[in-house]
Amino acid sequence: MTAEATTRMVGRALKRREDPQLITGHGNFLDDVKLNGMTHAAVLRSPYAHARIRSINTSKAKALPGVVAVYVGTDMTDVNPLPCAWPAGGFKNNLNTPRAIAVDVVRFAGEAVAVVIAEDRYIARDALDLIDVDYEPLAVVVDPEKATHPGAPQLHENAPNNIVVEWNAGNRDSTNAAVANAQVVVKERIVNQRLMPTPMETRGSIASYESSTGEFTLWSSSQAPHVHRLLLTAFVFGIPETKLRVIAPNVGGGFGQKIFVYQDMVFCMWAARKLGRPVKFVEDRSENFKSSSHGRDHVTDVEICGTRDGRVTGLRIKTYAGLGAYLSTIAPGVATTLYGRIVTGVYKIPNVSIDVIATYTNTAMVDAYRGAGRPEASYLIERMMDRWAAELGMDPAEVRRINFIQPHEFPYNNGLGLLPYDSGNYAPALDKALATIGYADMRREQAELRKQGRYLGIGISSYVEICGVAPTAWANGQGWGAGLWESANVRIHLTGQVVVTTGSLPHGQGVETTFAQIVADELGVPYDNVLIEHSDTAGTPFGYGTYGSRSLAVGGTAMVKSVQKIKEKAKRLAAHLLEANPDDMVFADGKVHVKGSPDKSKTFGEIALYASVGASMPNGEEPFLDETTYYDPPNCTFPFGTHICIVEVTPETGAIELKRYVGVDDVGNIINPLIVHGQLHGGIAQGIAQALFEQAVYDDNGQLLSGTLMDYAVPTAAMLPNYEIDHTVTPSPVNPLGVKGAGEAGTIGSAQCVMNAIIDALSPFGVQHMQMPATPERVWKAMHAHK
Amino acid sequence: MIPAAFQYVKANSVAEALVLLQQHGEDAKLVAGGHSLLPAMKLRLSQPTVLIDIAAANDLKGIAVNGNTLSIGAGETYHAIASSAAVKRTCAIVADCVGQIGDIQVRNAGTIGGALAHADPAADLTAVFLALGGSVSVASASGTRQIAADDMFVAMLTTALDSGEIITTVHVPVIGAGQGASYAKLKHPASRYAIVGVAAMVSMSGGKITSARVAVTGAGPQAVRQTATEQALIGTDGGDAASKAAASKAGDDMDYLGDIHASEEYRRAMVKVYAARAISAAVAQARG
């Protein structure tokens, strides 16, 4: 076999190798999985947001032909409630997580009350109508702040005033003093509304059980199969981890919602064991909206203060964070560490204090949703920088510039308990965005158009975020209950084919493509010779999964380190074959040669064949090229950038036109620009969606008013602008790839960009702030209220 | 999202459908595009035991111009209507209106007869049909009859159709010289239904409006004519001032709905804004 000369793959805008299968309808999603003897589950969900279950009568449902079994909460008390893996901030016996099926009390509309197992999905659904439940309705609270008020309905006896945790960061005393003594103080109440992640493929579970071995298999639309395996065995079922195999088939979007363990995983496994037959449950859209995790839901009072020349000297924040009726898998950490420790954003603010009061409310559980805490932080500080600029009559770009952390100050400690920001250079990204949009010209045009009664707005957002959260020891100090390293095994088969198995997995991120690009360059092998395997606990080393923009920075680095070990061994073997000194060997262009003698060489293919056969290995060397790495990074990475957009609002209707959107994002080194741009486009779309369209709304009775896609406005491509994306590149010193992460940056940078533009457009009407989403009605009312 | 059990039967003609309707009585529902009925069935808000599919009935197809009338088979899809040269030439407002309904998938399945028979409060076609002063031909076991647009919509989701009747053809006037008709719509961001939709038709002679019909959909429980606005337009030149003055009378005397996207207050204001837009566009067309 000869080594083929390969051109460099890293940096090329390759189309994703995942896509041909997916876009031609050959994907294999959860609902495509069918097993022999499979039964189908349907869930009876509580119509009440808070009620005591007086009695449940399932006899009529059980009698329906085709019904295999009907289970209620008390049937499944032999297994534990779901675990919370990130009890951040310290808990005093008030950690409440859900059972597979509610026992005695339901605490949100949509909570499971009974599960029917039937021969097909239609019968299972029909049987739900035959179950009689006698409820005693209880008082309801849905607002995260009102939940703490005296006399508010109480969800859990062990959580007085519905408080999950009271958490703080920064320096309260110095901040109080800064606010008290400041020349200028600006105060605002800012709501970050509840959102529903809405992956195109809803969630679900298929469980099977082999009684002869006591082994379960769970197919789940999952972002973290190994974590699900760990939590379900060790924490819920109390069985050896080896008795469960978790497989994630193709995953049709996750946005965080598929990181967590859910009730359906438990009742499908429990029923499969009980019945000796596989059990399948796939949510419909309404169920996904009612009972899978939501995001955001913050109510914040914030004060920013400083000097008249624009310097910010203090930031004081109090946030009520609604976490829903129970704690989802990592919810407390999202509302505290991932939010509160980055609220100063890209600015050097000497005095900062943040209090977070996380609360239980009669709503679906809230957990990580694309960005997870950082969009809330970024929205808060960037809205306040605009308020600050407006108060001082200064240009918002200038106010940002004079408060930026400076390049020489990295690594930068923001005083909020993070490890230092790894690297950054914020002004060039701002400058590039200003130049692309033509900022000075746009300001002139804005002034001209105002004279004609047309209202243009220019919005700026400079953001920084946290990716690849690590190291494990630091995360453990934040209450994180497990590791945050990632694994990768690299094997070179006899034919020279490279097989990588990783704990990371793609559900839109293109991991199969980018990982193969990196390996092809490192080993000098053809890109098509590299296979990336993932998503099955039976075939991959333990890993923590895909979320928090960690796949490349953490998982990719694990892979590179394994490749480096492979190269070292290849050099030793080549030295043996060439009778040379291992220290004199050079690995380049898919060959190993003796330094200074390029013709004295072995191709990587020859070495792979030699190692795989293993007939005459040098002393102490094992056959085969096979290396595994468990990589725990020394720090997080901190991508950043500046987004600027232009909007025009129409006074007579409040209609908002998003005319231009410029994003300059620094995600460190870029492996595949096409994939990075795709991630940024999708991320920005979700931020724009929060600014303009999406809101999960509960009424005072805890009924979800936005419970269908007829009510919850997920934008289509036709509702979104053309994105003008550019980059600066500041490599991360944290990992050898120099990458930072791109999966969430777009979302984290965008919502406030749009809101700042709208509020800028409305400034002639005296508007200083507006809550999201900026619906035409809200804009219209704001314009007419100030006339 | 799993419907209750039902029987499915296919009717290849109106006659077959009428026999099946008689046979199955009140438990049967007609289905063509199914984009209103099937979602209701999946939520079990509607549980018919028999679905009679008339989508393939050939005698519900066809688009024809006869003199001053454009006749569209009730089974024609939105897409077929939006792309019909005859419709665009003779009554462009209809093509324009149905081209804005839902998305491509909806337009490929949904039918004009289905939309009018269902009478969704936020449907687009109901206002256009009212403003045009159209009519429907209706068949039942006992014969056929015509229902005028003004008699069609009785209440929310309720029309003048009897349970055994099928709309066979929808008739609207050909928009002639000196006439104009336009539909202006504020789209719901999630459903694409009308939050407010206003259709206006005007006839002009000697620079003055001689007749006007204006109807509103989306804002309230059913599509309704705006007679105060119509009266205010007649005799004017239809210019900006006259259109705005007439539009300001729209929506004062009607019931409203509100939801999380648009309150009653906002819908009230938008009825006037969109009425002015529809009237202006109709007048511009009438002036040529």
Side-chain angles (χ1 to χ4, degrees), chain A residues 28-46:
Chain A
N28 186 44
F29 294 90
L30 182 73
D31 207 20
D32 297 320
V33 176
K34 293 174 179 67
L35 305 176
N36 277 339
M38 188 167 76
T39 62
H40 298 262
V43 179
L44 183 69
R45 298 183 182 279
S46 169

Side-chain angles (χ1 to χ4, degrees), chain A residues 121-122 125-126 129 284-286 650 652-654 693 695 697 705-706 709-716 719 775-777 780-781, chain B residues 1-5 42-44 47 186 188-193 244 259-267 269-270 273-274 277:
Chain A
R121 202 175 173 185
Y122 290 90
R125 173 62 187 83
D126 287 345
D129 293 341
D284 60 34
R285 180 61 61 190
S286 304
T650 305
E652 67 175 357
T653 57
F693 306 116
Q695 56 175 337
V697 182
L705 301 181
S706 54
L709 284 171
M710 297 279 279
D711 306 292
Y712 188 75
V714 177
T716 66
M719 294 156 78
T775 59
E777 172 164 3
W780 176 81
K781 280 186 171 159
Chain B
M1 302 298 277
I2 303 284
K42 286 180 181 179
L43 294 168
R44 302 207 173 194
Q47 301 195 10
L186 174 61
H188 191 292
S191 68
R192 320 286 191 269
Y193 272 103
K244 282 217 165 98
D259 68 12
I260 56 175
H261 293 282
S263 67
E264 175 179 339
E265 180 194 358
Y266 182 64
R267 286 168 196 248
M270 290 308 108
V273 171
Y274 282 82
R277 291 181 181 185

Side-chain angles (χ1 to χ4, degrees), chain A residues 326-531:
Chain A
Y326 306 93
L327 300 181
S328 175
T329 311
I330 66 168
V334 173
T336 56
T337 293
L338 292 182
Y339 163 65
R341 299 207 190 279
I342 189 101
V343 284
T344 50
V346 289
Y347 309 109
K348 188 176 182 179
I349 302 180
N351 304 290
V352 54
S353 168
I354 172 162
D355 286 278
V356 176
I357 299 114
T359 61
Y360 293 110
T361 58
N362 294 113
T363 59
M365 292 186 283
V366 173
D367 207 323
Y369 165 52
R370 201 171 194 171
R374 291 99 76 207
E376 296 92 312
S378 193
Y379 181 70
L380 187 69
I381 184 64
E382 285 306 287
R383 267 287 39 247
M384 289 313 286
M385 288 308 281
D386 259 34
R387 282 286 278 113
W388 178 243
E391 188 76 18
L392 298 172
M394 292 180 70
D395 186 286
E398 201 47 37
V399 157
R400 284 174 168 80
R401 188 188 306 281
I402 64 175
N403 286 289
F404 276 159
I405 301 159
Q406 296 302 306
H408 67 270
E409 292 172 313
F410 290 91
Y412 176 78
N413 182 346
N414 72 357
L416 286 165
L418 282 176
L419 293 176
Y421 292 11
D422 60 342
S423 62
N425 193 1
Y426 300 147
L430 172 66
D431 289 337
K432 208 169 193 178
L434 291 170
T436 305
I437 205 90
Y439 188 64
D441 290 342
M442 291 310 305
R443 284 287 176 207
R444 273 193 292 278
E445 189 180 337
Q446 178 183 40
E448 279 306 308
L449 288 175
R450 274 185 191 169
K451 292 178 199 159
Q452 304 165 27
R454 286 180 59 190
Y455 298 95
L456 225 59
I458 305 165
I460 303 177
S461 153
S462 295
Y463 72 92
V464 62
E465 61 128 336
I466 314 168
C467 290
V469 170
T472 296
W474 177 80
N476 289 165
Q478 306 297 310
W480 178 268
L484 273 172
W485 42 262
E486 194 49 85
S487 62
N489 170 265
V490 179
R491 300 188 302 280
I492 316 299
H493 285 220
L494 183 145
T495 53
Q497 302 276 305
V498 182
V499 179
V500 177
T501 56
T502 168
S504 300
L505 58 154
H507 43 280
Q509 295 86 346
V511 161
E512 290 183 11
T513 305
T514 44
F515 279 27
Q517 285 179 270
I518 294 167
V519 171
D521 279 2
E522 286 285 328
L523 292 178
V525 299
Y527 167 76
D528 288 334
N529 285 10
V530 184
L531 173 71

Side-chain angles (χ1 to χ4, degrees), chain B residues 126-136 146-155 158-160 171 212-215 222-227 230:
Chain B
T126 51
V128 171
F129 184 59
L130 272 178
L132 291 173
S135 65
V136 289
Q146 304 287 312
I147 303 174
D150 285 337
D151 300 327
M152 183 72 178
F153 307 112
V154 176
T158 308
T159 67
H171 310 282
R213 290 175 67 99
V214 178
Q222 67 180 98
V224 282
R225 293 263 306 271
Q226 301 296 317
T227 48
E230 294 170 359

Side-chain angles (χ1 to χ4, degrees), chain A residues 532-737:
Chain A
I532 311 296
E533 291 185 327
H534 52 80
S535 297
D536 183 346
T537 58
T540 57
F542 187 97
Y544 281 96
T546 288
Y547 43 84
S549 307
R550 69 192 300 273
S551 289
L552 186 56
V554 189
T557 300
M559 179 186 70
V560 165
K561 287 186 174 291
S562 292
V563 169
Q564 285 162 351
K565 293 176 192 171
I566 296 269
K567 287 164 80 171
E568 287 308 310
K569 182 168 178 180
K571 285 199 272 186
R572 294 198 302 273
L573 298 184
H576 176 72
L577 291 171
L578 296 166
E579 297 178 340
N581 184 340
D583 294 339
D584 291 338
M585 304 310 291
V586 177
F587 196 117
D589 301 326
K591 289 181 191 172
V592 181
H593 68 261
V594 179
K595 195 189 293 177
S597 308
D599 51 331
K600 277 191 78 178
S601 69
K602 289 286 173 187
T603 67
F604 185 63
E606 287 170 332
I607 300 167
L609 177 60
Y610 165 70
S612 301
V613 174
S616 58
M617 300 301 286
N619 275 348
E621 294 285 2
E622 293 175 3
F624 214 57
L625 296 169
D626 180 335
E627 300 288 349
T628 300
T629 303
Y630 295 87
Y631 172 68
D632 192 11
N635 193 357
C636 314
T637 61
F638 296 83
F640 61 89
T642 292
H643 291 190
I644 304 184
C645 71
I646 309 288
V647 303
E648 182 170 1
V649 297
T650 305
E652 67 175 357
T653 57
I656 299 151
E657 186 195 352
L658 193 41
K659 296 169 91 83
R660 283 184 69 192
Y661 198 103
V662 170
V664 177
D665 298 281
D666 195 320
V667 298
N669 289 333
I670 292 174
I671 307 299
N672 183 325
L674 187 64
I675 287 176
V676 166
H677 282 215
Q679 289 293 313
L680 290 169
H681 285 197
I684 294 168
Q686 280 175 305
I688 293 172
Q690 176 168 25
L692 297 180
F693 306 116
E694 296 184 11
Q695 56 175 337
V697 182
Y698 284 99
D699 70 11
D700 290 342
N701 295 316
Q703 297 299 317
L704 184 63
L705 301 181
S706 54
T708 76
L709 284 171
M710 297 279 279
D711 306 292
Y712 188 75
V714 177
T716 66
M719 294 156 78
L720 295 163
N722 184 43
Y723 305 112
E724 302 168 53
I725 302 292
D726 204 343
H727 304 283
T728 60
V729 177
T730 308
S732 172
V734 169
N735 59 67
L737 291 166

